[in-house]
């Protein structure tokens, strides 16, 4: 029996061997240190947990689909806890119904410790369930009755999709703890969003000299000048952080300036919250918009003004721009196509562990929890891509398989600017501006071959249409900052960075097949 004085040594040895994977440790650890971290003092455990887990660990990883009817044809994978796993599907009719049900068999073994467990999500187009395992043996998951012929045929041909929560129970809880503060409208939430973008995008947040608000002369702002906005706290700060991560954009919202025939300055914005709490397309006087950002927007917005190049401004058809803006005023924000602008390829737009299977799983869960919201977010857009009408998500997933295609292929079909949805044309904040640019002649002579609903915010600010001569920027531009940016940051504690700014000449079919993987978000030529 070991003496009490040797116990700390044994514990430290096990921790070192398990954490560092030292080959000199010939024995198998009875536990993994991650499993025992919650038992340690908080000031010791939390820094270690934060280094091991992050917000993205809340996302499941697709390991395969079980459709085979025998153990010989089962799928195999390595889990987070159990390193040797297999699964297969057995069909039966215990319910004595037309299409019966089935049993999913999962055999798990070779655990890396005695205290770990694996957490799984199981999904078909018609249902989502979950289970967890911490004993090495064969487990079963019962599907008492299929939802009809469609689910039966789908599972028979394509299987039940299996997703692993790769961080395990502890890591998933820790990931939830990482996600929660992103939505907090506090300094804690702001710091969490900053840390998320630094960690997952390589973004830097360098503090600017005060004042953090520029004394603007609105007389120097022209029609077509672009407003790039980055919110870093609260609900919108969190959503923008996730949007930035998947798309590579260093801004999460946009607006555009317009002058009317009397010379009055206005701001056009898709995503302005009205008195009923709906996000709509709005036209507001500059003074009203600027006052809101200074005094009422609690997301701590960082704002940069990107003036158009004089040659581009000379092409800007103000009358056509106003005509387009007024035709869209009051319409709802473009939720229908919001998620499709960053999915251009089968595999090169999904930051790990995201992939098309995970997207389908999340959509299925969301569709069951909030069917009306889910229908607004993607159902109509998916139907547009299939050339169908009124199909729900489960029916879309079945239909795409019937056609010999796949869901990941469906997601890559480019959005078309002329698609009309049930509530009219659908434009996100950036699509609204670029549609206006298109109407105003800025994409001529290639306008007919450019689908601006395929553009992310990054795709917009890298367009080579902005001022490139710093001597022509307004005198108040970057006033007081020791670093002179090529655009005018007019609000914000931290210096805004827009990698690739003003470098890309527009070309036909641009941004329809572009990769966007972090942290470099490199794009291929003419994608």
């Amino acid at each position: 029996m070991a003496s009490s004085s040797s116990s700390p040594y044994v514990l430290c040895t096990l921790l070192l061997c398990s954490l560092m994977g030292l080959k000199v440790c010939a024995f198998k650890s009875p536990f993994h240190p991650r499993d025992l971290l919650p038992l340690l003092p908080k000031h010791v455990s939390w820094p270690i947990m934060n280094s091991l887990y992050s917000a993205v660990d809340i996302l499941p990883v697709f390991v395969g689909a079980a459709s085979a009817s025998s153990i010989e044809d089962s799928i195999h994978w390595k889990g987070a806890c159990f390193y040797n796993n297999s699964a297969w599907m057995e069909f039966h009719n215990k319910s004595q119904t037309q299409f019966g049900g089935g049993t999913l068999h999962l055999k798990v073994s070779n655990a890396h410790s005695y205290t770990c467990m694996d957490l799984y999500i199981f999904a078909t187009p018609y249902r989502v369930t979950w289970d967890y395992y911490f004993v090495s043996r064969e487990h079963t998951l019962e599907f008492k009755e299929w939802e009809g012929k469609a689910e039966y045929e789908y599972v028979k041909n394509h299987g039940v999709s299996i997703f692993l929560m790769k961080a395990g129970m502890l890591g998933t809880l820790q990931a939830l703890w990482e996600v929660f503060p992103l939505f907090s409208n506090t300094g804690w939430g702001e710091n969490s969003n900053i840390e998320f973008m630094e960690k997952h995008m390589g973004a830097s947040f360098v503090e600017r000299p005060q004042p953090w608000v520029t004394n603007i002369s609105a007389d120097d702002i022209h029609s077509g000048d672009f407003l790039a906005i980055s919110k870093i706290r609260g609900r919108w700060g969190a959503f923008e952080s996730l949007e930035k991560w998947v798309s590579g954009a260093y801004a999460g919202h946009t607006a555009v300036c317009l002058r009317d025939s009397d010379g009055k300055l206005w701001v056009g914005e898709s995503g302005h919250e009205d008195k009923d709490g709906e996000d709509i397309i709005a036209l507001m006087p500059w003074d009203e918009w600027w006052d809101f950002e200074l005094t009422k927007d609690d997301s701590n917005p960082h704002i940069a003004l990107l003036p158009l190049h004089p040659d581009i401004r000379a092409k800007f058809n103000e009358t056509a721009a106003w005509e387009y803006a007024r035709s869209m005023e009051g319409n709802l924000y473009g939720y229908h196509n919001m998620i499709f602008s960053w999915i251009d390829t089968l595999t090169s737009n999904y930051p790990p562990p995201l992939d098309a299977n995970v997207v389908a799983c999340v959509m299925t869960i969301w569709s069951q929890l909030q069917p009306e919201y889910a229908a607004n977010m993607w159902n109509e857009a998916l139907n547009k891509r299939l050339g169908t009408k009124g199909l729900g998500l489960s029916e879309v997933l079945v239909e795409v398989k019937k056609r010999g295609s796949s869901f990941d292929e469906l997601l890559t079909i480019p959005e078309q600017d002329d698609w009309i949805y049930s509530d009219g044309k659908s434009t996100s904040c950036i699509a609204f501006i670029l549609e206006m640019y298109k109407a105003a002649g800025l994409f001529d002579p290639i306008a007919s071959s450019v689908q601006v609903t395929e553009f992310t915010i990054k795709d917009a600010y890298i367009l080579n249409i902005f001022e490139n001569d710093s001597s022509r920027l307004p005198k108040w531009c970057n006033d007081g900052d020791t670093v002179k940016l090529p655009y005018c940051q007019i609000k914000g504690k931290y210096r805004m960075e827009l990698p690739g700014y003003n470098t890309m000449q527009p070309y036909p079919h641009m941004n329809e097949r572009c990769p966007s993987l972090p942290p470099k978000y490199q794009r291929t030529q003419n994608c």
Side-chain angles (χ1 to χ4, degrees):
M1 181 175 178
S3 66
S4 60
S5 62
S6 68
S7 297
Y9 172 77
V10 173
L11 177 60
C12 289
T13 302
L14 290 172
L15 284 168
L16 284 171
C17 291
S18 300
L19 281 171
M20 301 176 65
L22 297 179
K23 293 182 179 179
V24 296
C25 304
F27 57 88
K28 177 182 177 181
S29 171
F31 60 86
H32 194 284
R34 287 191 297 244
D35 306 327
L36 300 183
L37 282 173
L39 303 179
L40 299 176
K42 186 175 181 179
H43 72 278
V44 175
S45 63
W46 278 93
I48 299 174
M49 291 169 71
N50 284 330
S51 68
L52 293 173
Y53 305 114
S54 67
V56 299
D57 288 319
I58 197 174
L59 296 170
V61 176
F62 178 70
V63 299
S67 58
S69 58
S70 67
I71 190 171
E72 290 79 12
D73 299 318
S74 58
I75 60 171
H76 299 267
W77 71 94
K78 180 180 179 181
C81 170
F82 296 96
Y83 287 173
N84 187 13
N85 306 279
S86 59
W88 66 97
M89 194 72 208
E90 175 193 359
F91 292 89
H92 57 65
N93 197 2
K94 297 176 182 177
S95 60
Q96 297 298 306
T97 55
Q98 183 176 1
F99 300 103
T103 301
L104 180 64
H105 297 265
L106 293 101
K107 188 174 182 180
V108 303
S109 60
N110 196 17
H112 68 68
S113 80
Y114 299 136
T115 55
C116 67
M117 69 172 64
D118 273 339
L119 180 64
Y120 286 97
I121 294 173
F122 307 96
T124 77
Y126 298 86
R127 71 181 80 201
V128 176
T129 187
W130 67 280
D131 207 347
Y132 60 92
Y133 309 111
F134 56 86
V135 177
S136 293
R137 64 177 176 84
E138 183 180 316
H139 301 267
T140 58
L141 182 69
E142 289 293 335
F143 296 85
K144 294 182 179 179
E145 183 179 349
W146 303 119
E147 293 287 333
K149 182 179 180 180
E151 186 179 27
Y152 167 72
E153 292 289 347
Y154 185 94
V155 174
K156 185 177 180 180
N157 293 314
H158 307 292
V160 173
S161 295
I162 302 174
F163 299 87
L164 169 70
M165 303 303 293
K166 68 172 186 175
M169 187 72 76
L170 173 63
T172 302
L173 292 174
Q174 172 64 15
L176 284 169
W177 184 252
E178 288 283 316
V179 169
F180 173 75
L182 296 180
F183 292 85
S184 174
N185 198 3
T186 63
W188 177 41
E190 182 173 308
N191 290 334
S192 297
N193 279 284
I194 289 172
E195 290 171 5
F196 180 90
M197 287 183 282
E198 287 176 335
K199 180 174 182 179
H200 297 290
M201 296 181 64
S204 60
F205 288 81
V206 179
E207 189 170 325
R208 304 164 66 216
Q210 294 198 47
W212 295 331
V213 176
T214 301
N215 185 19
I216 300 170
S217 173
D219 293 339
D220 296 321
I221 303 175
H222 305 276
S223 282
D225 287 352
F226 187 101
L227 292 160
I229 305 162
S230 178
K231 304 184 179 188
I232 58 175
R233 67 193 298 175
R235 176 179 55 134
W236 286 115
F239 283 125
E240 285 192 15
S241 291
L242 298 173
E243 177 191 358
K244 293 167 188 172
W245 172 54
V246 298
S247 69
Y250 278 59
H253 187 51
T254 55
V256 66
C257 301
L258 278 175
R259 285 198 181 275
D260 62 20
S261 56
D262 296 325
K264 183 178 179 179
L265 185 63
W266 295 73
V267 174
E269 180 182 26
S270 177
H272 176 77
E273 188 173 314
D274 67 8
K275 61 182 180 180
D276 297 321
E278 289 191 308
D279 297 315
I280 63 168
I281 296 172
L283 296 171
M284 294 164 287
W286 165 267
D287 292 339
E288 179 184 328
W289 183 86
W290 184 232
D291 178 69
F292 175 84
E293 296 303 332
L294 291 180
T295 63
K296 297 172 185 164
D297 192 338
D298 56 9
S299 65
N300 192 5
H302 285 52
I303 306 174
L305 176 75
L306 283 49
L308 290 179
H309 189 279
D311 294 344
I312 300 296
R313 186 178 299 126
K315 293 173 57 177
F316 190 86
N317 186 329
E318 212 168 56
T319 302
W322 270 108
E323 185 177 331
Y324 169 77
R326 289 194 175 105
S327 73
M328 297 295 291
E329 186 177 12
N331 284 10
L332 292 175
Y333 175 84
Y335 285 109
H336 293 294
N337 51 32
M338 182 180 68
I339 69 169
F340 295 96
S341 61
W342 61 272
I343 303 177
D344 294 340
T345 68
L346 294 178
T347 59
S348 299
N349 295 116
Y350 302 102
L354 269 179
D355 63 13
N357 294 292
V358 175
V359 172
C361 178
V362 172
M363 285 182 174
T364 301
I365 295 171
W366 214 321
S367 295
Q368 293 185 3
L369 295 176
Q370 294 190 345
E372 292 184 6
Y373 184 76
N376 189 42
M377 282 287 286
W378 47 69
N379 283 6
E380 276 198 70
L382 293 172
N383 274 272
K384 292 284 187 186
R385 284 159 173 78
L386 278 173
T388 55
K389 287 185 177 180
L391 297 186
L393 178 64
S394 58
E395 295 166 313
V396 166
L397 293 172
V398 171
E399 179 65 24
V400 76
K401 292 291 187 182
K402 283 182 181 178
R403 298 188 183 188
S405 185
S406 63
F407 188 65
D408 48 358
E409 289 181 295
L410 185 67
L411 294 175
T412 65
I413 296 175
E415 182 82 10
Q416 301 298 302
D417 292 352
D418 60 0
W419 280 350
I420 306 295
Y421 290 85
S422 58
D423 51 6
K425 278 197 170 185
S426 187
T427 57
S428 63
C429 64
I430 193 56
F432 169 70
I433 296 171
L434 296 181
E435 285 272 31
M436 181 189 294
Y437 283 0
K438 206 173 176 182
L442 298 194
F443 283 97
D444 290 345
I446 62 170
S448 62
S449 60
V450 174
Q451 305 300 328
V452 298
T453 41
E454 278 291 300
F455 283 51
T456 66
I457 292 175
K458 177 186 177 181
D459 296 330
Y461 66 63
I462 67 173
L463 285 173
N464 187 17
I465 61 174
F466 302 107
E467 181 60 82
N468 59 3
D469 185 348
S470 59
S471 67
R472 289 198 294 253
L473 293 173
K475 291 182 179 179
W476 44 260
C477 185
N478 301 309
D479 188 30
D481 198 342
T482 55
V483 174
K484 301 303 178 185
L485 299 171
Y487 39 83
C488 306
Q489 183 165 348
I490 58 178
K491 187 180 186 300
K493 176 180 179 180
Y494 303 102
R495 192 171 293 122
M496 291 179 68
E497 52 182 338
L498 302 175
Y501 172 68
N502 205 24
T503 58
M504 184 70 62
Q505 192 68 25
Y507 58 88
H509 302 289
M510 68 185 303
N511 302 317
E512 294 183 6
R513 291 289 183 265
C514 291
S516 59
L517 290 178
K520 295 184 178 180
Y521 299 97
Q522 292 177 333
R523 53 183 287 148
T524 52
Q525 189 173 8
N526 295 326
C527 60

